[in-house]
Amino acid sequence: MSKLRLAAWAALVLMLGAAVLAIILAVQRFPRGISVLLCVALAASAAWYAIQRRGAFRIVSAGVAASLLAGAVALILVEGKPLLDLLILAALGGALVAAREAFRVRIQLPAAQPPDRPVMFYNPLSGGGKAERFHLADEATRRRIEPIELRRGDDLEELVRAAVRRGANGLAMAGGDGSQAIVAKVAAEYRLPYACIPAGTRNHFALDLGVDRDDVVGALDAFVNGGERRVDLAEVAGRVFVNNVSLGLYAEAVQRDGYREAKLRTLIDTVPDVFGPGGELPHLHWEGPAGEESGAAVLVSNNRYRLGRALGAGTRPRLDGGQLGITVIGPTGKGPGRGRSRPHEIHQWSSPTFEITSDRPVPAGIDGEATHLEPPLRFRILPAALQVRIAPTHPGASPSAIEPDSPLQALGALMKLALGRPLGSH
């Protein structure tokens, strides 16, 4: 039996076991089990209230949330059977791991002629010094790839263009996603092959491309015997981005001093300015599916993100769909019969172009880099603009490329795999 079938069977058995145990506990603990759920729901509401406030209101609300969670734990312990709860959690966790393994994608990309004068640009400070830790310059030289170090004060785009003028016919970047976008832009402009080396901190673009983020050195083999795929790029105000442009809540946080050192705390401290009492929505307006709208937070991405799912959440199933992904939190519709949405409501749609207007410069985070953009902000997708080379040992596709969109679809897909019927790339 193949590993995929074994993983699918394991996921199904663990999910069934968790469901049976949960039903047994619900019967045994009725009606106390309802009190546990109520405590958890109220704790979530109190936590959200705390995030929206500052000072004493935040402290008190956070204390209430913590107390309610402690109460839920106490109610579970009173039953004297916490082992069953732990077994349910362990079974669910195991089912998730097994399902991820069952839906793992590995694509055999078409072989491509390796460039004879490839160049790799690397930021020695990116990712906590990954380039030095993995000896990337030496490893690149060993593969006949010229390494060029990016020093403080250098203009990366000018360095890349200068290398092309000297005859470079393959461009790789070892650094964060902002740097990846600059090199990808030049590679697309000159129709040169490009390789993403995951030497940044999070390497979101590498993940969605199908580059193994844990194999930094192996990614260099993209220019040795790698396969090729074409992916989209996106653009706003003439600036190319590979992941997304954030406007509103996250963009405001990125602009603040101390964001790099304490990202989560800075983001939480920004929430009251947008969602709290007297909070002011950014002056952003656009035409959406329901007509003229505005909102508290907008994310425009190079292809659509998968949101709100345990499997593949926060990734893009594909980068060659030829569409921008547009995600809005808490829009205000101005069309007939449309009222204000809840502050946390999420709306998502796709379009090849998108335009946002405002009466002032707009703070933005472009692939995580803080900037301001002059309105109107015109976004567009650049379909199949980039020739990406990927090492033959790497997946070659996003981890969510064939993951189903709903729990019910996931269950059906796991059953198909368990019975030996292939899915997509499998």
Side-chain angles (χ1 to χ4, degrees):
M1 185 180 291
S2 70
K3 290 183 179 180
L4 294 179
R5 290 188 68 186
L6 283 173
W9 275 114
L12 289 170
V13 170
L14 288 169
M15 283 192 286
L16 179 62
V20 171
L21 286 175
I23 292 171
I24 292 173
L25 281 181
V27 172
Q28 289 180 345
R29 292 177 175 174
F30 184 83
R32 190 171 290 167
I34 297 176
S35 301
V36 173
L37 293 176
L38 182 61
C39 284
V40 172
L42 290 175
S45 298
W48 175 244
Y49 186 88
I51 289 175
Q52 296 179 72
R53 267 65 179 180
R54 298 187 188 277
F57 288 104
R58 174 176 287 184
I59 294 172
V60 172
S61 300
V64 170
S67 299
L68 287 167
L69 282 177
V73 173
L75 286 171
I76 292 173
L77 293 176
V78 163
E79 291 291 335
K81 298 178 181 177
L83 181 59
L84 287 178
D85 296 280
L86 293 175
L87 284 175
I88 292 174
L89 291 175
L92 289 175
L96 181 61
V97 172
R100 284 186 182 278
E101 184 63 31
F103 293 129
R104 187 182 296 276
V105 178
R106 187 171 294 280
I107 292 178
Q108 188 69 39
L109 296 173
Q113 181 70 27
D116 56 11
R117 296 191 63 183
V119 173
M120 179 197 71
F121 302 88
Y122 68 98
N123 183 346
L125 303 179
S126 190
K130 283 185 179 179
E132 181 177 349
R133 191 159 67 250
F134 290 103
H135 308 286
L136 271 183
D138 293 337
E139 293 289 349
T141 301
R142 191 171 294 121
R143 292 166 173 81
R144 300 181 183 278
I145 302 171
E146 178 188 353
I148 297 180
E149 180 180 346
L150 179 62
R151 296 182 173 86
R152 187 180 300 275
D154 283 346
D155 184 322
L156 176 57
E157 182 171 344
E158 180 51 37
L159 283 178
V160 178
R161 292 186 182 279
V164 174
R165 288 194 294 268
R166 292 196 307 271
N169 61 356
L171 303 175
M173 180 66 214
D177 287 333
S179 299
Q180 299 288 351
I182 293 173
V183 178
K185 171 188 174 181
V186 178
E189 181 180 334
Y190 287 96
R191 300 182 180 180
L192 299 177
Y194 156 88
C196 176
I197 313 301
T201 302
R202 292 177 179 82
N203 306 296
H204 292 302
F205 189 46
L207 176 68
D208 293 337
L209 281 174
V211 175
D212 185 346
R213 296 185 296 177
D214 296 325
D215 186 17
V216 180
V217 172
L220 293 168
D221 291 334
F223 279 161
V224 177
N225 57 351
E228 183 174 279
R229 58 177 299 206
R230 281 187 171 271
V231 301
D232 307 332
L233 294 174
E235 182 183 75
V236 59
R239 179 167 172 176
V240 166
F241 58 96
V242 295
N243 291 332
N244 58 67
V245 176
S246 57
L247 310 166
L249 174 64
Y250 178 72
E252 293 283 351
V254 170
Q255 308 291 325
R256 299 193 176 192
D257 294 337
Y259 172 76
R260 291 291 179 187
E261 291 73 28
K263 295 185 178 182
L264 180 59
R265 186 181 65 193
T266 305
L267 186 59
I268 290 175
D269 285 343
T270 308
V271 174
D273 296 335
V274 178
F275 292 119
E280 184 180 2
L281 290 174
H283 293 247
L284 307 175
H285 306 277
W286 62 86
E287 287 289 330
E292 187 180 353
E293 297 178 348
S294 65
V298 183
L299 187 79
V300 183
S301 56
N302 172 20
N303 285 265
R304 187 169 178 167
Y305 279 95
R306 180 186 291 256
L307 301 176
R309 299 170 178 86
L311 290 174
T315 64
R316 290 163 289 180
R318 59 187 302 179
L319 284 173
D320 57 0
Q323 297 279 316
L324 297 168
I326 303 158
T327 304
V328 175
I329 301 177
T332 302
K334 296 185 179 180
R338 182 171 167 84
R340 185 181 178 90
S341 299
R342 294 190 299 272
H344 57 277
E345 188 174 345
I346 296 177
H347 299 257
Q348 195 174 32
W349 71 94
S350 298
S351 175
T353 60
F354 185 55
E355 181 172 322
I356 292 179
T357 60
S358 177
D359 59 2
R360 65 194 68 176
V362 180
I366 303 181
D367 286 335
E369 302 293 331
T371 188
H372 284 77
L373 298 174
E374 292 292 332
L377 279 58
R378 296 188 176 94
F379 297 84
R380 67 182 181 123
I381 198 74
L382 306 174
L386 188 63
Q387 305 170 46
V388 178
R389 298 288 176 88
I390 297 177
T393 57
H394 289 192
S398 167
S400 60
I402 62 169
E403 288 173 357
D405 287 330
S406 70
L408 187 60
Q409 290 176 352
L411 183 61
L414 286 171
M415 292 179 67
K416 287 180 65 176
L417 287 173
L419 294 173
R421 297 165 61 186
L423 279 181
S425 300
H426 291 161

